[in-house]
Each structure stands twice: as C-alpha cells, then as structure tokens.
Amino acid sequence: MEIKPIAKIKTDFPAKFGIPRQSGLIEKLTSEIIFEPDFQDPNYIRGLEQFSHLWIIWGFSENEGKEHGATVRPPRLGGNTRLGVFATRSPFRPNNLGLSAVKLERILSDGKGMRLLVSGCDMMSDTPIYDIKPYIPYSDSLPDAAGGFAEERRAYRLEVEADGALLKKLPEVKQELLCEILAEDPRPQYQNDEGRIYGFAFAGFEIKFRVENGKAILESIE
C-alpha cells in the first residue's frame, strides 16, 4: 500500500523537545491542519462540522530511514525496561505512524486555503497528516479499558516560577500555554538533573528553564 499526505500541520513546535507527550494534555494549544492542493475540495470535509473531536493519523517524519526493533525502552518506565514496540507509543515503529485525538475548533476557508483549527495536538510543525476520521463517543470512548503501564503517568505537576517581565516577551496568548508546558515537565522522564538548563523552541522563541525542588524555573526567553 502506498500512502501520501493529505495535509500538514502547523504548530508552535519546530522540534520535538517540549511537545506534550500525549494529545489532549494541553487543551488550549492550537494548531492548523493545512490540506494539500489535491485535497482542497470542500467536499472532502462535508459534514465534518458536526463533530467536536477528530482522530488524526500522522507520520513520525523525523524517523524515516531509521532502524526499528521489536522492543523499545519507554521513557515512562525510566528508559531501562524493554517492552514490545506494539505495547508502547514509541515513535520508532515499523511504519512510523502516529494517532492523536484532537478537538475541532473551527473550519477555515479563505485565501490561505482550506484548513482545520484544532486544539490539544502533540505534533511537531510540518508533520504530515495521512488521514482524518471523526471521533465517535459511543464507540471510541471505553471508560473500563485497562491502561497498563501508561496509567503510571506522573501524578504531579511542577510548580512554575516565571518572572512576569520575562513572560511578556511572549504574546499574551502564549504565556499561559508556556506555563502549562513547563508544569507538565517536558524533560525526558529518566532525567532528573536538578540545576541543568534545558532549552526548547516554542512559538518562534527559544525557551530555557531548569527544575529544582519540584519547581520549573523559567530562565530566559529569546
């Protein structure tokens, strides 16, 4: 089977560090899905406005050509325990496909082409989108499902210490989002090097922070 992208997504993350680990973790984080020229016909999304949420099938494009194995080391388990790749959401997969549930905010159609404004994404900017399907609550929501080791998600959120004058370097709408990203602790889960300075790109800025005593301290915004 040969598949090709139907769209690409534009997000505030040009690189993978800092991206929420799962979709929906930061609900106010918005992104735009921009359809490719061959899929700009509005008939492709006729009726989509009836749904509040969507399934997005996308590609781990940064991993193309990289080797994959039968087992991986999930960061959630400290990076030391091996599990089968199909028991994880590792990006290193035989077909490099990802799956995310997002909220459909608006359908946009103007001089910039047909686009979907969505929220709660966990993707890097320019990630290829291969398919879009409506989220159907009665069949897609399974509250009794067992979550395995993934339910061992960090039970804590970091307290965020950010100087107000420093935050004002960001557009107002991005200030709250940055604090949410830091509160979720974007560091690899097996790293707990207090005092180390971490950096990531967000919304056109370079963010630097450190973590001490359960607190994310914003160092600089450039």
Side-chain angles (χ1 to χ4, degrees):
M1 180 178 66
E2 182 178 345
I3 61 174
K4 63 179 181 178
I6 62 165
K8 63 182 177 183
I9 194 165
K10 289 294 183 182
T11 77
D12 284 327
F13 298 97
K16 65 180 182 179
F17 191 96
I19 296 175
R21 291 184 175 87
Q22 300 292 342
S23 58
L25 286 183
I26 302 180
E27 296 178 355
K28 294 182 180 179
L29 195 61
T30 58
S31 308
E32 281 191 7
I33 294 175
I34 305 169
F35 287 91
E36 297 291 347
D38 288 348
F39 299 94
Q40 281 287 332
D41 185 342
N43 284 317
Y44 277 109
I45 59 169
R46 183 189 298 178
L48 195 67
E49 71 282 354
Q50 299 177 43
F51 299 92
S52 66
H53 290 75
L54 308 172
W55 287 113
I56 308 297
I57 299 173
W58 49 278
F60 290 104
S61 52
E62 293 293 293
N63 292 342
E64 290 182 6
K66 294 183 179 179
E67 294 184 1
H68 67 271
T71 63
V72 294
R73 297 176 178 178
R76 188 181 299 278
L77 297 179
N80 297 316
T81 303
R82 283 197 172 274
L83 292 177
V85 66
F86 298 137
T88 75
R89 294 194 175 185
S90 167
F92 299 98
R93 318 189 67 79
N95 289 306
N96 291 325
L97 293 178
L99 177 68
S100 296
V102 301
K103 183 179 180 181
L104 175 61
E105 299 287 350
R106 289 198 304 277
I107 296 175
L108 307 171
S109 183
D110 51 29
K112 296 180 181 179
M114 192 169 65
R115 310 182 314 284
L116 304 180
L117 180 67
V118 297
S119 60
C121 282
D122 57 345
M123 298 173 228
M124 193 170 67
S125 198
D126 290 323
T127 289
I129 307 297
Y130 292 112
D131 205 358
I132 296 170
K133 301 178 187 291
Y135 179 97
I136 301 175
Y138 81 85
S139 63
D140 293 350
S141 178
L142 304 170
D144 296 330
F149 75 91
E151 291 187 348
E152 299 172 18
R153 177 192 168 199
R154 272 197 187 103
Y156 72 86
R157 283 166 58 87
L158 295 176
E159 179 185 348
V160 177
E161 182 179 297
D163 179 80
L166 194 55
L167 273 179
K168 286 183 179 178
K169 289 187 175 183
L170 293 175
E172 186 174 354
V173 68
K174 303 297 183 183
Q175 295 174 23
E176 181 183 354
L177 290 175
L178 175 59
C179 289
E180 283 289 309
I181 292 166
L182 294 176
E184 285 287 339
D185 195 353
R187 299 175 301 168
Q189 294 197 354
Y190 49 83
Q191 288 188 4
N192 190 26
D193 185 3
E194 292 207 352
R196 175 177 175 178
I197 302 297
Y198 295 87
F200 63 96
F202 170 69
F205 295 82
E206 182 68 21
I207 310 298
K208 292 188 177 179
F209 73 100
R210 59 189 169 89
V211 176
E212 289 185 2
N213 300 319
K215 181 184 296 185
I217 303 169
L218 184 61
E219 289 284 325
S220 65
I221 298 177
E222 301 295 339

